[in-house]
Amino acid sequence: MIARAGFHPVCQLASLRTELHAKYSWSLCNLHHHLQWPTDIFTASQTARTDNLSSRSTERKHRQMVARSMQENGAAERPQPIDTKSRSPSHTQLLLIVTHGDYVLLASLQDHPTSYGPLSGCIQDEEQQQQAAGRIAKQLTGVSIDEASVTPLQAASHTLQAHTCKRQTENGASGLDLLQGQARQCAEEVRLQAHEVDAVLAHPPPLLQLDQAKLADARWFNKRWLIGHSKGQVAASLFRLVLGKDAESPGPMHAWLQEAQTHSPLDQIPDVTIETGVFKYVLLVVTDVAEGRSKLIVRGDRQSGYHMDVYEKANRELAPHKLHVAEPLGGGRIRHDDGAKAITVYGYSSAYGQAPHDLSAALIRQWYPMYTSDNITASYEGY
């Protein structure tokens, strides 16, 4: 081809390109800017789709591996998922209510030495609740519990209850053999029954070995004493953790006490009623004829001049409960110094004979848990 004069194709193309670039460059840049957002969405969608496909692929491979394993092992059923509800998460805080017969173990922390409540601790990694309960009780108090008895408290979450391993007396004695010397002689004279002695002395709660870095104190509290004091001023001030801060947010022990209460008339009366100072007392056995149950109680009264007066006052107290009160199993005197938190049981009754004061002192220890056991003593001297 022969080009015409004055027209060069290459030069014309270069000129046209320059003109178009100058005319449409802004529009192209603006169009590119507006296309960026849909492009980002498309990129994110592609990424999510890729992740989803990867996850589905992993699940499919897992199902294939499970099916292959079932075929190799001859399994007839599909594997069941792990029950995550029965296993608590690691480091979950637990409360533990430990009981031993009629006793419940409560402790106070170093930073709250006057408030008593259940034991507490955390579940460690890969630890079942029963194992955690046993470890917490042992580490804090030295008490061994029966892990098979560990059950959740229905009314309070993350609260467990457990029983101790049954503990006999050190020498394996029972009945009147639990009493020695003068106490044994007095018990025989007033015809005390073996089962009545066993109810008080046969299964003492375990001795405590405290983790003093964490606990300020720990004690065994009689269940009936706790129930009887759960609405009084003593409990309100002493057991803030036991009863809860207020009625709107009751503590776990409050829920436990509600479950532990019975409607038996025998459980509605206190085991011990005494005053301060020096006064006469009698040891009584009261019986619920309808239920066929009985228990020993101690009654003392500073206003009564004779042991018979103490006995008659006890009869008037128990009459509304329709309980049978037998003749006293002896009597004596009590010296109660509440300032020193000390109680001495001693003397005798000319009307009913001398009570086995060791047994009376054991009952009083149950009803005065904040007194040191060594400060509640028995003597067979004096009047």
Side-chain angles (χ1 to χ4, degrees), residues 89-145:
S90 300
H91 308 299
T92 297
Q93 185 79 10
L94 285 179
L95 294 179
L96 177 62
I97 300 174
V98 179
T99 59
H100 178 88
D102 288 337
Y103 294 91
V104 59
L105 178 59
L106 303 179
S108 63
L109 302 176
Q110 286 289 356
D111 51 351
H112 296 287
T114 60
S115 296
Y116 288 75
L119 303 179
S120 63
C122 291
I123 295 182
Q124 296 179 352
D125 295 335
E126 302 301 324
E127 192 175 41
Q128 299 296 325
Q129 287 187 343
Q130 292 86 347
Q131 297 171 330
R135 176 183 54 78
I136 291 169
K138 192 69 174 179
Q139 289 180 352
L140 293 179
T141 64
V143 171
S144 298
I145 65 169

Side-chain angles (χ1 to χ4, degrees), residues 175-225:
L176 296 182
D177 291 337
L178 292 168
L179 301 172
Q180 303 296 324
Q182 189 72 16
R184 171 67 179 264
Q185 181 180 339
C186 292
E188 291 175 346
E189 290 177 356
V190 298
R191 298 182 179 180
L192 197 64
Q193 300 297 310
H195 70 89
E196 296 168 344
V197 180
D198 283 340
V200 181
L201 300 178
H203 303 289
L207 300 177
L208 304 178
Q209 297 176 350
L210 304 188
D211 181 354
Q212 297 182 349
K214 297 180 179 179
L215 300 183
D217 188 28
R219 297 171 186 261
W220 291 102
F221 292 84
N222 184 280
K223 177 177 66 176
R224 292 187 299 275
W225 183 87

Side-chain angles (χ1 to χ4, degrees), residues 47-61:
T47 302
R49 183 172 181 272
T50 302
D51 292 343
N52 187 34
L53 290 174
S54 176
S55 175
R56 290 168 58 185
S57 176
T58 302
E59 293 178 2
R60 182 168 59 254
K61 291 179 180 179

